[in-house]
Amino acid sequence: MKTVLLDDRQNSLVQWVSQATGINTFGVKVRLLGNDLHILCENAECPQRWQTLLELLQALQQTDVDTLTNDEQPSIYQVLIYGRKKGEHRPQWCHRVYLNQLERHLEQALLAQTEMPISPGGSLIISNESLARQGDGDAIARYLSEHLSHLGIAVQVKIKPSAAKNNSQIVANRLWVFCQSSYSPDSSLLAETVAQKLRHLQLVGYQDAIIVAQVRGETEPDWRVRVDLTPPEVMLKEWARWGDVQAIARILTEELLGFEIALQTSLKESTLHIFCTPAFDPLETAPAPDKTTALQAIVPLLESIAPQAIISAAIYGQKTTDKQPTWIDWVSLPASKHPFLLTSALELARAGDQPAMIFLLERLLNPNLDWRLKTGGIRVLLVRKEDLLHIMCDAPVCPTRYQVSSKVTQFIRQLKISGITGVRVYGRRAGDKEPVWHHGADLEERSRLVPEATPEFAATSEYVNSLMIDENSEEILRPDLTNEKVKSFLKEASNNLLLNTNKLIRNLLLNSQIFTPSNQEIDENPDNQGIGSGMIWLALGLLLALQSDFMLGYVVAHTVENSPKASNNIVSPLSSQAQASSLSPNNQKTSFSNQPGTTELLNNDPSAFNASGFINDNNAQSGNLPAGPLKEKATSTAILLAARSQIPSFNARQLDEQLALYKQRLATKKRPPDVLIVGSSRALRGVDPVALSKALSSQSHSNIDIFNFGINGATAQVVDVLIRQVLEPQELPKIILWADGSRAFNNGREDITFNAIESSPGYKQILQKSPTKVKANEGNKNLKDPTEKVSNKPKTADTNIYQTTNDWLNQSVANLSASYKSRDQIKILLQKQLQYLPFSYQHSPVKSKVHITHDSEIDNNSSLQGVDFDGFLPLSIRYNPTTYYQKHPKVSGDYDNDYKSFQLAGKQDQAFHSMLEFTKNNNISLVFVNMPLTSDYLDPVRMKYEQQFQEYLLTFTNHPQFIYRDLSQLWTKANDYFSDPSHLNRYGAYEVSKKLAIDPMISWPTK
């Protein structure tokens, strides 16, 4: 419907222009933008300017242009006419026509066409600004339209009477500016611009203006802003009255400008010093200003202002180049005669005078006087209630909390006003009733009658309205309520709740008829009764636990027997190679029949077929995505090894556990691994040691031993400490694979993990030892079993006996239990049954397009939250932006603490250089892999930092023993390879491992 109306409107305007000018309709184009009508006339030869203008102006005199548009279109204030030759892109001429001055435009066109000289008075076009200064509403609308129509904003102005703010008997005008557009313009961009234009007019008789923005077709306004139209000279006099030197100087300068006198002012103690010099003296030969003229202009102004706390003024007259004045005069000001003018604004504010506080706060928040005069600045409203001072700050653009709150709070704290124990600061957009933000600070400890939130008063609409308008509202707090009464009430309520709960439970047990009331309760010994009851309940509890364990074990056993076998649903590397990857890095499907070697692989792998001869659904749990095999979790083993270790803790649990697993691996294999993966959680989840080893075996690198030593939150400093200080040289591998990204090298962020390690007892013990400079390849032969040290030495106080005992008891009970080993299956069964209950709809799981099997549910819910014995953390969860951001906030790079104050120079850079030097001296290859990220994570801010980081690493590519591989933008759209926006899952780790194995730039070890 809107398109039809638009076509009809354009056709009528085009036909009207064509009839007026004689130009074919194909050569006429029109466009309505705001209150402007743009008409483009083009022909084989560019239309004559004045002839075309004359014809259009005559037509405009006879036609109301608004009748050619629909009713929803705002009034047209001006017409812009362009002339262009066909085929050209830019018009050869343009003419602006004000519809309220058609006669003047017509006269100008007639004179120009007859080539007669234009008389100065006849065809002079008066600007809309000159007409608007006279206070005419239509002229003001046209003036504003000149600055807003190019944004597609139409303007309409209305004038309504309003009571003056200082005297309700005086009626002042209020200007209503209605801005209409097809979109919602940002108030922070539009309000300040309109405020400057309106205040520039210096309208007389207007108190303020209300700017209302509304989207075309909507019934309610989008936002509104109040603009203070107080004339600049009135604002200057208000501040000058309080003794503001800058305001006084501005008033005197404007007054003396007509006498060609320039001045400078300074305030020393209570005397204002005024220096008068010639305003225009390029040759520096002009004499000093006339004393009589200067005094007659300055003294009456100072007496009318009567500045606060300024007793006298010293006026000097001097030449431009002279340092000594030609004449001096001393003048006493009204403050010397009136005692109430002697006190400064600061002293009045300390005594609690609110007008003085408002002036000082407004001066504090408006340091730029010119900006305040242009826009109205930040206005301060102040109300004192009891011992709290409430301060509202508003402006055409809402002041930010950072801009206002700390300044206001610190200023009020310095005043030390008697009886004020707290300050509450609010910020809002001028014209709004409710604040956008609030800030509270207590100047001293306050006694509160009831528990309250921080800040004390929430900035609700009811509270702000009562704060700023209604002074007769009822008090929120009860003054008769004391702390003792509140405590006694709460104690009584809690006792009653406890008694009622016990009584309710007792009645429920009696109603079940399993229990009967005892008549001898009063006669029996309470101690004996308690012991006997406890033994009975203990026996019943044990019996119930055994019964439940037996029944659960029976149910699980029969469920497993009756369900199809799914124990082999884990994808092995061989079988995964037999399947075609359904998600390639470019998200394209690949035909299974086109995969080379498919038949051969299936024939060589008997596990690929089930008993019926059909291919096993090995990829059902992973949605046909290949992944490495899931190995046994090492969480409990790592905890026990860390507890029994002689190495003190590093205040990082994962580092302690990974180190314990690594030491155990060294003791078992008697040599370090060939490849050691290090880095943060992106390495921990992003590189699969088993998949990498299998992929390398197909590249003639067989039996490559790999361990993943990833640590959550690890930075360059953490990796440097791990390689150079925590591990011994003989425990280091041949290749270190460092998998991470730019945020691990950011020196602007707080390095929480390293700070914890640095303050740990383990780090202190490392610093006490003298480092042994032994190369890794020379120390492999003398590698000793670390478990022998543990068995030969007595346990230290660091050994957690309670943890060991607890683990032994858990293991003993688990061996006796019939259902403990199947607890994961029990959890899945209970979840499936609970989802059919009436109340389960509130927490029903989101259905996924990918079918989740029984084993995959166990993977996602329980077993995959711990590393395996290779140190790898395999996560099966896939990143889905739709569901992920329903549970997690979407944080942009501007507010990501990992990229806070991003800079690459600093301690992280020093640690990286130490790593490069250490690996070079020990003949260890260092491969840094910039891990993949999603497009959701790589917003413009993070992308900029990633580019800086890549340029930074490229400067080290000539360094020996260092290799840099960038995979950051490899799979930005392959969400199925990620567990969250910046971390890979086990399927992504499998693909990364395969890609690294075939990378020709990396020299993998051979055996």
Side-chain angles (χ1 to χ4, degrees):
M1 185 63 68
K2 290 184 178 180
T3 305
V4 175
L5 290 176
L6 183 62
D7 292 341
D8 292 343
R9 179 184 64 195
Q10 287 185 341
N11 289 333
S12 61
L13 287 171
V14 168
Q15 292 175 3
W16 174 77
V17 175
S18 178
Q19 292 174 1
T21 60
I23 301 174
N24 192 286
T25 55
F26 292 102
V28 177
K29 296 179 181 179
V30 297
R31 182 182 180 187
L32 286 166
L33 192 62
N35 298 108
D36 294 349
L37 173 61
H38 298 261
I39 301 176
L40 174 63
C41 302
E42 61 180 2
N43 211 336
E45 295 295 333
C46 180
Q48 293 293 327
R49 176 175 182 175
W50 296 111
Q51 177 63 31
T52 306
L53 282 175
L54 184 61
E55 294 171 348
L56 279 176
L57 289 172
Q58 291 174 350
L60 286 171
Q61 271 190 325
Q62 301 172 3
T63 308
D64 185 4
V65 185
D66 291 332
T67 60
L68 301 177
T69 62
N70 55 32
D71 297 334
E72 296 180 358
Q73 173 65 34
S75 300
I76 298 175
Y77 295 150
Q78 58 185 0
V79 180
L80 287 91
I81 307 170
Y82 308 86
R84 187 178 70 179
K85 181 180 179 180
K86 278 192 175 181
E88 295 182 352
H89 297 287
R90 299 182 64 85
Q92 295 184 7
W93 56 267
C94 174
H95 196 90
R96 184 189 302 269
V97 176
Y98 298 111
L99 294 183
N100 60 336
Q101 302 182 56
L102 283 176
E103 292 78 7
R104 296 177 182 271
H105 286 289
L106 188 60
E107 182 181 354
Q108 185 183 33
L110 286 172
L111 293 175
Q113 188 180 17
T114 57
E115 298 183 356
M116 293 179 60
I118 300 175
S119 60
S123 61
L124 180 64
I125 307 300
I126 304 175
S127 67
N128 284 326
E129 179 180 342
S130 301
L131 297 174
R133 288 184 182 274
Q134 302 174 11
D136 181 67
D138 185 59
I140 295 174
R142 294 175 185 274
Y143 166 70
L144 293 176
S145 176
E146 291 180 3
H147 304 281
L148 298 179
S149 287
H150 71 282
L151 299 175
I153 301 174
V155 180
Q156 184 181 5
V157 173
K158 293 182 180 180
I159 301 173
K160 296 181 180 180
S162 176
K165 57 184 179 181
N166 297 328
N167 191 344
S168 59
Q169 302 299 327
I170 301 176
V171 177
N173 291 326
R174 169 169 286 174
L175 203 63
W176 287 83
V177 181
F178 298 93
C179 301
Q180 192 180 58
S181 59
S182 58
Y183 65 99
S184 177
D186 190 352
S187 61
S188 62
L189 300 177
L190 185 61
E192 212 162 64
T193 301
V194 177
Q196 290 187 51
K197 299 301 178 184
L198 289 176
R199 290 190 57 80
H200 176 70
L201 296 176
Q202 297 184 3
L203 299 172
V204 179
Y206 289 90
Q207 173 183 323
D208 54 16
I210 306 298
I211 306 172
V212 181
Q214 186 171 352
V215 179
R216 189 174 294 116
E218 299 290 337
T219 57
E220 295 294 330
D222 197 22
W223 50 263
R224 63 181 64 193
V225 172
R226 176 188 176 274
V227 178
D228 188 2
L229 295 183
T230 303
E233 59 270 15
V234 177
M235 286 185 169
L236 286 173
K237 287 182 180 180
E238 288 179 355
W239 278 17
R241 157 71 183 83
W242 286 103
D244 185 78
V245 177
Q246 190 177 1
I248 295 174
R250 182 69 64 90
I251 294 174
L252 293 177
T253 299
E254 293 178 359
E255 182 67 23
L256 295 175
L257 195 60
F259 300 100
E260 297 183 353
I261 299 176
L263 58 83
Q264 295 178 347
T265 59
S266 64
L267 181 65
K268 293 184 178 180
E269 296 181 351
S270 58
T271 301
L272 180 66
H273 298 265
I274 304 173
F275 301 89
C276 301
T277 57
F280 182 76
D281 186 16
L283 301 178
E284 299 181 350
T285 58
D290 182 65
K291 179 178 181 180
T292 304
T293 303
L295 293 178
Q296 288 178 352
I298 295 174
V299 174
L301 274 178
L302 292 178
E303 290 180 347
S304 64
I305 294 173
Q308 192 81 22
I310 300 180
I311 300 176
S312 59
I315 307 173
Y316 308 85
Q318 61 184 32
K319 296 181 179 180
T320 305
T321 57
D322 290 350
K323 296 183 178 180
Q324 297 296 327
T326 304
W327 54 266
I328 303 175
D329 198 90
W330 186 276
V331 179
S332 296
L333 298 182
S336 62
K337 303 175 183 179
H338 303 282
F340 65 91
L341 294 176
L342 289 173
T343 309
S344 66
L346 184 60
E347 294 298 328
L348 290 173
R350 287 172 177 169
D353 186 78
Q354 293 190 10
M357 283 190 283
I358 291 175
F359 159 69
L360 293 174
L361 287 171
E362 288 186 345
R363 196 66 183 92
L364 176 68
L365 300 178
N366 296 279
N368 191 332
L369 183 60
D370 291 329
W371 187 252
R372 181 177 187 264
L373 296 177
K374 286 181 179 180
T375 64
I378 299 177
R379 184 182 62 156
V380 173
L381 301 175
L382 188 145
V383 172
R384 176 174 179 174
K385 282 198 172 184
E386 297 180 357
D387 60 341
L388 284 176
L389 200 61
H390 300 268
I391 301 172
M392 174 67 75
C393 306
D394 67 9
V397 177
C398 176
T400 62
R401 189 200 305 262
Y402 173 79
Q403 177 186 3
V404 170
S405 59
S406 59
K407 291 183 179 179
V408 173
T409 304
Q410 184 178 3
F411 177 75
I412 298 299
R413 193 185 302 274
Q414 292 174 353
L415 289 181
K416 298 180 180 179
I417 304 172
S418 176
I420 296 297
T421 60
V423 59
R424 303 293 181 262
V425 187
Y426 308 87
R428 71 179 181 186
R429 185 171 54 201
D432 289 350
K433 292 184 178 179
E434 301 181 8
V436 176
W437 56 264
H438 63 273
H439 172 79
D442 290 339
L443 308 181
E444 58 185 66
E445 187 175 355
R446 303 176 62 244
S447 58
R448 304 185 177 185
L449 300 180
V450 295
E452 55 184 340
T454 302
E456 185 175 5
F457 294 100
T460 60
S461 58
E462 294 82 6
Y463 175 71
V464 173
N465 289 337
S466 64
L467 174 66
M468 298 306 171
I469 300 174
D470 189 6
E471 294 294 337
N472 300 321
S473 60
E474 184 180 357
E475 293 291 337
I476 299 175
L477 300 179
R478 291 174 51 191
D480 60 324
L481 198 60
T482 62
N483 290 336
E484 289 75 13
K485 290 183 179 180
V486 173
K487 291 180 180 179
S488 62
F489 171 76
L490 294 176
K491 185 176 181 180
E492 183 180 355
S494 60
N495 291 336
N496 292 337
L497 179 63
L498 184 60
L499 292 175
N500 293 334
T501 304
N502 292 337
K503 185 176 180 181
L504 179 62
I505 295 174
R506 183 175 183 275
N507 292 335
L508 289 175
L509 293 175
L510 292 177
N511 292 334
S512 65
Q513 298 183 1
I514 299 176
F515 301 91
T516 58
S518 176
N519 297 328
Q520 292 82 17
E521 289 180 357
I522 301 176
D523 299 318
E524 292 180 357
N525 188 342
D527 295 335
N528 295 336
Q529 180 185 4
I531 296 174
S533 300
M535 295 300 295
I536 293 174
W537 282 109
L538 178 61
L540 290 174
L542 291 174
L543 180 62
L544 181 61
L546 292 174
Q547 290 279 2
S548 301
D549 181 73
F550 174 75
M551 292 301 297
L552 288 174
Y554 177 81
V555 170
V556 171
H558 282 263
T559 303
V560 173
E561 290 178 1
N562 297 329
S563 62
K565 300 293 183 180
S567 59
N568 294 326
N569 277 2
I570 300 172
V571 180
S572 64
L574 280 176
S575 63
S576 64
Q577 294 174 6
Q579 300 289 343
S581 177
S582 66
L583 182 62
S584 60
N586 55 1
N587 287 342
Q588 293 179 351
K589 293 184 179 180
T590 306
S591 172
F592 178 80
S593 60
N594 294 333
Q595 281 293 99
T598 302
T599 307
E600 180 182 355
L601 287 172
L602 290 176
N603 292 334
N604 294 334
D605 184 9
S607 64
F609 292 89
N610 57 22
S612 61
F614 289 95
I615 297 177
N616 276 336
D617 191 13
N618 289 342
N619 287 329
Q621 71 171 19
S622 60
N624 295 330
L625 290 180
L630 292 175
K631 299 181 64 177
E632 181 183 358
K633 299 301 135 190
T635 306
S636 57
T637 303
I639 294 174
L640 289 175
L641 290 175
R644 296 170 181 171
S645 175
Q646 300 299 309
I647 302 175
S649 173
F650 287 93
N651 288 350
R653 175 181 171 183
Q654 192 170 43
L655 173 57
D656 295 340
E657 294 176 4
Q658 290 281 72
L659 182 60
L661 286 176
Y662 190 74
K663 294 287 186 179
Q664 175 71 12
R665 190 186 190 94
L666 295 174
T668 304
K669 297 192 175 185
K670 307 297 183 181
R671 62 180 180 84
D674 301 306
V675 179
L676 183 64
I677 302 167
V678 297
S680 64
S681 55
R682 297 177 67 183
L684 183 69
R685 310 182 192 179
V687 184
D688 188 347
V690 174
L692 181 58
S693 179
K694 291 289 185 181
L696 287 173
S697 64
S698 63
Q699 302 292 325
S700 302
H701 300 281
S702 58
N703 300 323
I704 301 299
D705 188 22
I706 305 172
F707 185 83
N708 192 322
F709 212 125
I711 303 168
N712 286 331
T715 59
Q717 290 189 99
V718 175
V719 173
D720 179 53
V721 168
L722 173 66
I723 298 300
R724 293 198 307 113
Q725 296 177 292
V726 175
L727 298 180
E728 297 294 336
Q730 64 270 19
E731 298 174 344
L732 295 176
K734 301 176 182 178
I735 292 182
I736 296 177
L737 186 65
W738 191 348
D740 218 315
S742 59
R743 58 192 188 189
F745 285 71
N746 180 18
N747 290 276
R749 60 178 284 196
E750 181 183 3
D751 198 341
I752 300 175
T753 307
F754 178 77
N755 292 340
I757 295 173
E758 193 178 31
S759 61
S760 67
Y763 187 81
K764 294 177 182 177
Q765 185 186 72
I766 290 175
L767 295 180
Q768 293 174 359
K769 293 182 178 180
S770 57
T772 304
K773 302 296 182 180
V774 181
K775 291 187 177 181
N777 55 0
E778 296 176 354
N780 290 341
K781 299 178 181 180
N782 300 323
L783 187 64
K784 296 182 179 181
D785 188 351
T787 56
E788 296 176 1
K789 299 179 181 178
V790 177
S791 59
N792 295 333
K793 294 183 180 180
K795 293 184 178 180
T796 63
D798 291 335
T799 304
N800 195 336
I801 300 176
Y802 297 101
Q803 180 67 34
T804 305
T805 305
N806 181 61
D807 293 337
W808 177 80
L809 289 174
N810 289 338
Q811 189 65 31
S812 301
V813 174
N815 294 333
L816 297 175
S817 172
S819 62
Y820 181 79
K821 298 179 181 179
S822 304
R823 59 190 183 279
D824 293 328
Q825 288 86 340
I826 295 172
K827 180 180 178 181
I828 298 301
L829 290 174
L830 290 176
Q831 289 179 345
K832 288 183 177 180
Q833 296 302 322
L834 288 175
Q835 67 181 356
Y836 298 108
L837 294 179
F839 53 81
S840 64
Y841 70 93
Q842 298 177 355
H843 306 283
S844 58
V846 180
K847 293 184 179 181
S848 175
K849 295 181 180 179
V850 182
H851 178 68
I852 300 177
T853 63
H854 176 74
D855 288 342
S856 66
E857 290 181 4
I858 297 175
D859 291 342
N860 292 334
N861 293 320
S862 60
S863 61
L864 287 188
Q865 297 307 315
V867 299
D868 56 25
F869 283 89
D870 292 326
F872 175 57
L873 178 62
L875 295 181
S876 298
I877 187 172
R878 302 187 198 179
Y879 168 61
N880 185 345
T882 304
T883 57
Y884 181 85
Y885 290 118
Q886 292 177 356
K887 301 178 181 179
H888 307 278
K890 190 171 185 178
V891 181
S892 65
D894 288 322
Y895 303 98
D896 192 344
N897 284 332
D898 289 337
Y899 293 88
K900 182 180 180 181
S901 304
F902 188 85
Q903 56 179 345
L904 296 172
K907 295 182 178 179
Q908 307 294 349
D909 177 60
Q910 296 173 7
F912 183 54
H913 279 83
S914 299
M915 277 286 295
L916 291 174
E917 190 66 20
F918 179 81
T919 52
K920 174 186 174 182
N921 295 335
N922 288 273
N923 197 24
I924 299 174
S925 296
L926 177 62
V927 180
F928 187 93
V929 181
N930 197 8
M931 296 297 283
L933 296 166
T934 63
S935 58
D936 292 340
Y937 187 80
L938 286 174
D939 59 7
V941 175
R942 295 191 181 97
M943 181 66 75
K944 179 182 70 175
Y945 296 148
E946 283 293 327
Q947 292 175 355
Q948 295 178 13
F949 178 64
Q950 292 175 18
E951 294 173 1
Y952 166 78
L953 285 183
L954 287 174
T955 60
F956 299 96
T957 52
N958 294 328
H959 197 281
Q961 306 293 331
F962 177 70
I963 300 172
Y964 169 56
R965 308 307 293 151
D966 181 26
L967 306 180
S968 60
Q969 301 183 45
L970 181 63
W971 301 312
T972 56
K973 299 295 183 181
N975 292 336
D976 284 349
Y977 287 164
F978 292 83
S979 59
D980 59 50
S982 60
H983 291 87
L984 294 172
N985 55 22
R986 55 191 289 250
Y987 313 115
Y990 179 80
E991 296 296 334
V992 165
S993 302
K994 289 202 306 180
K995 191 168 187 64
L996 293 176
I998 61 175
D999 195 321
M1001 298 296 295
I1002 304 176
S1003 300
W1004 298 105
T1006 56
K1007 292 187 178 180

